[in-house]
Amino acid sequence: MDPPPLPRVLRLALLLLLASPAALAWKKDEFRNCNQTPFCKRARTRAPHSLDAPLSLVAGPLAVSPEGSLTAELSHPSRPRPLLLRLSALPPHALRLQIDEDYSANTPPSRRFHVPDVLLPDVDSRALHLSKPKTVGSVSTVALSSDLDVVVKHDPFELTVRRAGSGDPVLSFNSHGLFDFEPLQESKPEGETWEEQFRSHTDTRPRGPQSITFDVSFYGADFVYGLPEHGSTELALRPTRGPGVEESEPYRLFNLDVFEYLHDSPFGLYGSIPFMIAHGASASSGFFWLNAAEMQIDVLAPGWDGAASSENGRIDTLWMAEAGVVDAFFFVGSKPKDVIKQYISVTGTPSMPQQFAVAYHQCRWNYRDEEDVGGVDAGFDEHDIPYDVLWLDIEHTDGKRYFTWDRSTFPNPEEMQRKIADKGRKMVTIVDPHMKRDSGYYLHEEATAKGYYVKDASGKDYDGWCWPGSSSYPDMLNPEIRDWWADKFSYQNYKGSTPTLYIWNDMNEPSVFNGPEVTMPRDAIHNGDVEHRELHNAYGYYFHMATSDGLLKRGEGKDRPFVLSRAFFAGSQRYGAVWTGDNTADWDHLKSSIPMVLTLGLTGMTFSGADIGGFFGNPEPDLLVRWYQVGAFYPFFRGHAHHDTKRREPWLFGERRTALMREAIHMRYSLLPYYYTLFQEASVTGVPVMRPLWLEFPDDKETYNNGEAFMVGASILAQGIYEEGQKSVSVYLPGTELWYDLRNGSPYKGSVSHKLQVSEDSIPSFQRSGTIVPRKDRFRRSSTQMVNDPYTLVIALNSSGYAEGELYVDDGKSYDYQQGAFIHRRFVFADNKLTSINIAPDSLTKKVYSTECVIERIIVLGLPSGAKKAIIEPGNQEVEIDLGPISLRSGSKSVAPTVRRPNVRVVDDWTIRIA
């Protein structure tokens, strides 16, 4: 239930207050904790293996359905209707568990919500046909794959995925007897209160309690990861309950607009992905619950259940959701990448971004006018700093009416965009979901007339408060409304937009300033009589989807969209990038950005980053420099700041610091070929661009909870400097082979923690031996102007004299690559010979992409001294080898054997033999 409309004076005061940084600081009492959340509080009070009636469900006989799944009834005499269970298998090692109420027994006024349009549409058709289970006593067993079984214990119900040969468990569901599925009721029992109060807000809860709770156990696990989004300085999820645990709040998944969030807290932030990965030296597994209602998840410390000891390598977790159904996936893999690939196989691979999107973005709330935009653009050129995208926040609009321009400050938006585009650059404008309730605003009038807004509990258009003041929100659950929204991005509808303008979705949790916990009331109503509580965490996902579809329509399906979203859910990776929201200009937030971005990558959202320098506050110049040096490795690389902060373009902090920030940005631009190749890999496999060390070194326990260092692909390791005035840093380099300093080529041993002196000009970063990294070393104004530049290959030989790497190239903007218009080469160095091999599949040949780009330098780290020349085949052409610098930065020393100007084309097959 909404509060009554605010008087005009109070409305203005609210908006002024919310614009103040002091007012935006995180206030703990404005957000519910578990004890203030009835379903969470109830679930946490239940004891394991309880004999309470709701928890001791019994599974009936398993039957094979016509489509090859297994079905059974879950029942207990106290329930008004039984539950229906369905098990299905997905290749290669995934189990899907679905549980809902059996509405044929008696029908409540409403049914439970199944989240639509998140799973890939072919998931059901890919399901394998399960065989008839073998039942002995009260236990049934069925083969999930050649090496995995599913075991169902019938009384009480329990499910386990185990190794077929050894019988060792991998994952289990309800092994502690905490499964509870509160039934929908036909009417409110006399004397029972369903309403819930929080601060000044009342949730009417007209359908009563409907929460779901269950325990999931991971076996052979040292740590669990995932569950974005929350601030954290550690990569692994810490226990939230049990012996030795001081912080007793669960990890909360509830999309919220949190101002200046805590850098280390289990409270929920802007997005929610209910996916957890477990990893240990002997096993990797994952669990995904497709449910968009609020969730709270406990990671339980050993001994939480009162047992004197627990099984070695078992991690127990408790999952609690306010509403929805059980639609859960169990993933098993021999390595963690296998688990990620299985999750991606049901939620979709990340979209392939345009080339420009992988480069540097410059943003501020707000660049004032066209003159300011032109001045910032010119400032980058004047200071020899490349950038690709300039962003405009909410002040560019006419009174916070999206799809409009403030014509007093941006009178010629198309001309402004064309001037930026002449340098190969793009622009981004913000489009949020709150529509200003203004009779003169065409979009509001149209949405009102068509009935396209979310309704309040009484059935009226929901009226909440956000940046424009009184606002309503399009009901993005409805596909018809998403199509309508997508049409608004056409050039005809979005007047002043051009083909080089892209979009930013902010505040799409959705944020409502006067709503409970700064969000939409849970009893608001969506299409199909769905309560907002049932889909809250997916609202931003649908909004992101509709916006991305709009840019796709605008470009007639030929131009890859770029849309940045703050809110996200499972599957958001298909529609664009995300960022970690309104962080703060302090060292702790710089440090926490690494585990946050790594966690997003592990859960599908590889295209992510944090605001460089922190959104709130004024960073010390040294902090800003360090943030650029770390942020240059983020997959999404953007500087952004609040309007009350001092201007912080990279050239405003003195010549020396300008040079350091310029160097960090130049480094990113030189690595763009490598990053673009990694994004292509992610778009096929889901393996993230920026990775925790253990993803590449899954057997090395020293890497399992390292949240300060990270990998970029399989070839580069970096570690930030996270303390003011830090003089030295300890960097652990995994594996048994050497690592080479990215800046000067110095070798370092693997499996060793190295204490390194801190330098102001870079952060510790290394290339792994056995790898080949492609670069482009000529600096231009933007990535677009680098398209025809030659490549450099940096080869880091391992102890066997071997290295390999890949290069992927396409037109950087269209979908022609889906029809074969790309170049994909594998470079292999072995036996003193570098070979370029075409690895593009022969099946994709409808279109062709070609380039005249050549390789102008080949740097070989670890090559024995004495090599003076190389022979290029075909052609028997001889070229010189001499010492050269690792990078072309000023003052770099000549330290590495370098094949100069071989000028072989990247599109061709060739061999270069070291003579």
Side-chain angles (χ1 to χ4, degrees):
M1 181 181 297
D2 297 348
L6 299 173
R8 184 172 184 274
V9 172
L10 291 179
R11 287 181 291 184
L12 291 173
L14 174 65
L15 290 174
L16 288 172
L17 182 66
L18 286 164
S20 164
L24 298 181
W26 191 77
K27 296 181 175 65
K28 186 175 181 179
D29 60 353
E30 291 185 357
F31 301 96
R32 301 204 303 184
N33 60 35
C34 182
N35 282 334
Q36 296 167 318
T37 307
F39 80 87
C40 183
K41 185 177 182 179
R42 289 195 302 274
R44 271 186 146 197
T45 60
R46 298 182 186 119
H49 304 292
S50 171
L51 297 179
D52 292 346
L55 303 181
S56 53
L57 290 164
V58 176
L62 290 168
V64 181
S65 69
E67 69 274 13
S69 60
L70 300 181
T71 60
E73 188 177 272
L74 298 176
S75 62
H76 190 278
S78 67
R79 298 190 63 86
R81 66 191 71 85
L83 301 174
L84 293 180
L85 172 148
R86 181 187 178 197
L87 293 173
S88 52
L90 291 166
H93 303 294
L95 174 71
R96 185 179 186 183
L97 169 65
Q98 295 169 279
I99 303 175
D100 194 1
E101 300 190 57
D102 181 359
Y103 302 106
S104 65
N106 56 67
T107 305
S110 58
R111 296 193 175 196
R112 290 176 175 268
F113 178 62
H114 293 243
V115 184
D117 304 321
V118 169
L119 300 180
L120 293 178
D122 66 343
V123 166
D124 286 336
S125 66
R126 284 191 275 123
L128 303 174
H129 197 288
L130 289 171
S131 60
K132 183 179 179 181
K134 298 177 181 178
T135 303
V136 178
S138 65
V139 177
S140 296
T141 305
V142 64
L144 175 63
S145 64
S146 60
D147 56 350
L148 292 171
D149 289 336
V150 178
V151 179
V152 176
K153 182 181 177 183
H154 291 259
D155 186 9
F157 167 64
E158 179 183 342
L159 183 148
T160 303
V161 179
R162 72 180 188 188
R163 305 285 178 190
S166 65
D168 293 336
V170 182
L171 291 152
S172 67
F173 179 95
N174 200 36
S175 59
H176 294 279
L178 292 173
F179 180 35
D180 186 23
F181 201 108
E182 293 183 320
L184 290 172
Q185 302 184 49
E186 295 184 47
S187 61
K188 181 166 62 174
E190 187 174 347
E192 188 171 313
T193 300
W194 283 356
E195 290 184 349
E196 291 181 0
Q197 303 286 336
F198 179 68
R199 293 169 65 88
S200 63
H201 301 277
T202 300
D203 177 3
T204 60
R205 286 215 312 165
R207 299 168 192 181
Q210 51 184 299
S211 70
I212 302 172
T213 304
F214 51 77
D215 58 273
V216 174
S217 295
F218 301 85
Y219 299 81
D222 290 321
F223 292 99
V224 289
Y225 312 86
L227 303 182
E229 185 176 39
H230 57 275
S232 180
T233 55
E234 293 186 15
L235 179 59
L237 297 170
R238 292 189 291 260
T240 57
R241 276 177 63 196
V245 177
E246 295 180 6
E247 176 61 71
S248 63
E249 282 297 312
Y251 291 101
R252 189 184 190 194
L253 295 184
F254 191 64
N255 292 7
L256 292 169
D257 180 0
V258 184
F259 306 115
E260 290 188 291
Y261 56 84
L262 297 179
H263 73 277
D264 196 4
S265 169
F267 284 99
L269 296 179
Y270 311 95
S272 300
I273 300 180
F275 175 42
M276 182 181 286
I277 299 175
H279 179 64
S282 61
S284 297
S285 58
F287 178 78
F288 167 51
W289 186 6
L290 177 57
N291 189 327
E294 179 183 356
M295 277 192 205
Q296 305 263 5
I297 299 102
D298 269 321
V299 177
L300 303 167
W304 69 275
D305 54 355
S309 63
S310 60
E311 295 178 54
N312 187 35
R314 190 191 79 209
I315 297 179
D316 300 323
T317 60
L318 180 66
W319 298 66
M320 305 161 274
E322 184 181 14
V325 298
V326 175
D327 191 354
F329 294 80
F330 301 80
F331 305 115
V332 181
S334 59
K335 299 294 182 183
K337 287 182 182 179
D338 301 327
V339 175
I340 292 172
K341 290 175 182 179
Q342 289 184 65
Y343 169 73
I344 289 296
S345 75
V346 299
T347 61
T349 55
S351 59
M352 183 65 187
Q354 290 201 40
Q355 175 76 61
F356 80 82
V358 183
Y360 177 63
H361 302 244
Q362 181 66 32
C363 185
R364 180 176 177 81
W365 177 23
N366 204 89
Y367 288 120
R368 297 182 300 271
D369 50 31
E370 290 179 2
E371 182 180 358
D372 197 9
V373 166
V376 171
D377 178 66
F380 276 91
D381 295 339
E382 179 182 345
H383 294 90
D384 191 28
I385 302 174
Y387 89 99
D388 267 62
V389 193
L390 194 64
W391 294 53
L392 296 179
D393 211 316
I394 54 178
E395 310 303 335
H396 84 277
T397 62
D398 177 11
K400 314 299 190 300
R401 301 170 183 87
Y402 300 107
F403 301 99
T404 69
W405 302 83
D406 183 340
R407 294 291 176 169
S408 65
T409 51
F410 295 93
N412 303 296
E414 290 165 296
E415 181 182 351
M416 173 184 65
Q417 293 164 64
R418 277 194 291 269
K419 288 179 179 177
I420 297 293
D422 285 345
K423 300 176 182 178
R425 293 167 177 158
K426 312 292 189 293
M427 292 193 72
V428 166
T429 53
I430 196 166
V431 177
D432 293 348
H434 44 263
M435 296 293 103
K436 184 170 185 173
R437 294 184 60 84
D438 180 349
S439 59
Y441 182 25
Y442 75 97
L443 205 60
H444 168 65
E445 290 293 287
E446 191 174 336
T448 301
K450 291 178 177 290
Y452 279 176
Y453 284 138
V454 176
K455 310 302 179 188
D456 64 22
S458 70
K460 298 178 182 177
D461 286 351
Y462 174 67
D463 185 349
W465 282 82
C466 208
W467 296 124
S470 178
S471 304
S472 290
Y473 297 73
D475 183 3
M476 291 299 175
L477 177 63
N478 189 336
E480 177 185 328
I481 298 174
R482 294 202 298 266
D483 287 343
W484 168 80
W485 180 261
D487 288 338
K488 301 308 167 191
F489 292 91
S490 70
Y491 303 122
Q492 179 181 0
N493 288 326
Y494 190 177
K495 299 189 184 304
S497 65
T498 71
T500 59
L501 184 70
Y502 295 88
I503 301 298
W504 172 17
N505 289 161
D506 197 4
M507 315 294 285
N508 54 334
E509 292 75 26
S511 176
V512 182
F513 291 159
N514 66 328
E517 301 190 90
V518 201
T519 193
M520 188 174 284
R522 297 166 192 247
D523 55 6
I525 300 298
H526 293 260
N527 179 58
D529 198 33
V530 175
E531 283 193 296
H532 185 71
R533 82 181 73 251
E534 301 175 276
L535 65 82
H536 171 79
N537 286 345
Y539 181 87
Y541 164 83
Y542 294 122
F543 190 73
H544 196 187
M545 175 198 296
T547 302
S548 178
D549 287 347
L551 293 188
L552 197 60
K553 279 187 177 183
R554 183 189 77 175
E556 298 178 343
K558 300 174 183 178
D559 189 58
R560 296 178 222 165
F562 172 75
V563 183
L564 179 75
S565 175
R566 189 169 72 177
F568 56 84
F569 188 63
S572 289
Q573 66 268 13
R574 305 202 300 269
Y575 302 108
V578 301
W579 89 107
T580 62
D582 296 344
N583 58 357
T584 303
D586 62 42
W587 292 91
D588 287 336
H589 274 259
L590 168 60
K591 184 177 182 179
S592 69
S593 72
I594 300 303
M596 292 179 75
V597 172
L598 290 174
T599 297
L600 286 166
L602 288 173
T603 55
M605 294 303 311
T606 189
F607 201 4
S608 65
D611 285 343
I612 305 299
F615 177 68
F616 286 108
N618 296 303
E620 305 155 11
D622 289 345
L623 170 60
L624 185 61
V625 168
R626 290 304 189 195
W627 214 317
Y628 267 99
Q629 291 170 344
V630 171
F633 289 102
Y634 294 155
F636 176 60
F637 183 27
R638 181 184 76 155
H640 185 36
H642 189 276
H643 65 69
D644 282 337
T645 64
K646 298 176 183 178
R647 295 291 287 257
R648 62 168 82 150
E649 286 74 34
W651 54 87
L652 298 178
F653 297 88
E655 186 174 337
R656 177 56 182 160
R657 293 190 177 97
T658 296
L660 294 173
M661 288 184 270
R662 178 193 300 116
E663 173 64 20
I665 297 171
H666 276 175
M667 185 273 296
R668 172 56 169 254
Y669 274 75
S670 72
L671 288 173
L672 283 179
Y674 179 62
Y675 269 82
Y676 198 66
T677 300
L678 292 175
F679 271 102
Q680 188 274 338
E681 178 190 5
S683 75
V684 174
T685 68
V687 176
V689 171
M690 184 169 156
R691 309 167 185 177
L693 271 57
W694 56 263
L695 203 61
E696 289 300 321
F697 299 91
D699 299 325
D700 189 338
K701 290 193 174 186
E702 292 293 322
T703 68
Y704 287 0
N705 197 21
N706 188 334
E708 297 187 4
F710 53 89
M711 299 289 297
V712 178
S715 303
I716 291 176
L717 182 152
Q719 179 162 323
I721 302 300
Y722 307 116
E723 296 178 13
E724 183 179 7
Q726 191 170 348
K727 302 300 183 183
S728 65
V729 61
S730 179
V731 180
Y732 178 73
L733 298 176
T736 58
E737 295 282 353
L738 292 175
W739 294 79
Y740 294 90
D741 188 291
L742 211 59
R743 302 301 178 116
N744 58 34
S746 297
Y748 292 84
K749 291 181 179 180
S751 296
V752 175
S753 290
H754 298 269
K755 186 176 181 180
L756 305 176
Q757 295 302 306
V758 168
S759 166
E760 70 169 358
D761 62 352
S762 64
I763 62 173
S765 50
F766 307 87
Q767 183 172 340
R768 180 182 181 182
S769 64
T771 67
I772 300 176
V773 172
R775 299 190 326 213
K776 283 193 172 185
D777 289 343
R778 298 187 183 181
F779 301 124
R780 309 290 187 182
R781 290 178 172 180
S782 65
S783 67
T784 306
Q785 297 184 346
M786 298 167 63
V787 167
N788 297 317
D789 285 349
Y791 290 87
T792 293
L793 296 182
V794 183
I795 302 173
L797 299 180
N798 65 13
S799 57
S800 301
Y802 180 86
E804 66 176 45
E806 294 183 10
L807 174 65
Y808 173 85
V809 188
D810 60 25
D811 66 14
K813 55 187 178 182
S814 78
Y815 286 98
D816 287 355
Y817 71 91
Q818 294 179 343
Q819 301 180 64
F822 62 87
I823 298 164
H824 198 177
R825 311 295 300 188
R826 175 172 291 132
F827 303 115
V828 176
F829 191 100
D831 300 322
N832 272 351
K833 185 169 58 179
L834 175 64
T835 304
S836 177
I837 306 164
N838 177 28
I839 57 173
D842 294 335
S843 58
L844 295 174
T845 56
K846 292 182 180 179
K847 291 189 176 182
V848 175
Y849 175 77
S850 189
T851 176
E852 295 301 314
C853 285
V854 299
I855 295 172
E856 69 170 351
R857 289 199 310 153
I858 300 172
I859 300 168
V860 189
L861 302 171
L863 185 70
S865 60
K868 297 297 182 184
K869 62 182 179 179
I871 307 299
I872 301 173
E873 297 290 354
N876 195 32
Q877 176 189 352
E878 184 177 302
V879 291
E880 292 184 352
I881 299 176
D882 54 24
L883 292 182
I886 302 300
S887 72
L888 298 183
R889 59 192 296 225
S890 176
S892 296
K893 296 180 180 179
S894 296
V895 295
T898 301
V899 181
R900 296 186 182 276
R901 289 184 284 277
N903 293 333
V904 287
R905 298 201 315 162
V906 296
V907 73
D908 293 336
D909 292 341
W910 43 259
T911 295
I912 299 177
R913 179 172 54 86
I914 305 297

